[in-house]
Amino acid sequence: MKYFVVFLFLFYSFNCFSQNDTLVKNIKGTVIHNDTKLPMGNVHVVNASRVKGTVTSPSGIFEISAKVNDTLLFTYIGFETVKVKVTNDWIKQNPTKIYLTEKAYVLDEVIVR
């Protein structure tokens, strides 16, 4: 009986690890400026759930590994940060397009010397 329980435990643990490995997918896509519809280079793409990241190419293309329910952050100076939660439906759209919008800054006062 003791060996049977050990066998079941080992079988179950190997099964769990193999399922987790199959969930990791390479996400490919392009980051695009929302107003001009041009690709954006050097945008930071970070998988916040796994603390891994990359930067888009000059033509706006990125590739990053992610699992379902991971959160991807797309950041660029002067633009709103876009958060995307990875779902099975979103992975099926691969390659995908991410649109970044410029931040609207309001100045209260300007000092000229």
Side-chain angles (χ1 to χ4, degrees):
M1 179 68 179
K2 186 191 301 185
Y3 295 113
F4 180 73
V5 172
V6 171
F7 175 76
L8 280 177
F9 176 76
L10 289 174
F11 179 76
Y12 179 73
S13 63
F14 287 139
N15 192 18
C16 289
F17 288 123
S18 66
Q19 287 178 356
N20 286 339
D21 290 341
T22 60
L23 295 177
V24 176
K25 302 287 184 185
N26 280 338
I27 309 293
K28 297 178 184 178
T30 306
V31 178
I32 299 172
H33 190 288
N34 194 33
D35 296 333
T36 63
K37 307 298 185 226
L38 295 174
M40 295 179 61
N42 298 323
V43 175
H44 293 223
V45 183
V46 178
N47 185 338
S49 305
R50 306 178 95 214
V51 193
K52 291 187 176 186
T54 187
V55 178
T56 60
S57 68
S59 57
I61 297 171
F62 70 91
E63 182 174 349
I64 191 166
S65 60
K67 293 182 179 182
V68 174
N69 293 327
D70 282 357
T71 302
L72 300 181
L73 301 174
F74 298 85
T75 59
Y76 193 76
I77 296 175
F79 287 78
E80 298 286 338
T81 298
V82 174
K83 291 183 183 181
V84 177
K85 187 162 187 163
V86 178
T87 62
N88 283 324
D89 293 334
W90 196 72
I91 291 173
K92 290 177 185 174
Q93 296 178 20
N94 213 4
T96 187
K97 293 182 181 178
I98 302 295
Y99 293 91
L100 292 184
T101 306
E102 290 184 33
K103 285 184 183 177
Y105 291 102
V106 178
L107 297 177
D108 291 335
E109 59 183 73
V110 177
I111 300 173
V112 180
R113 292 183 182 205

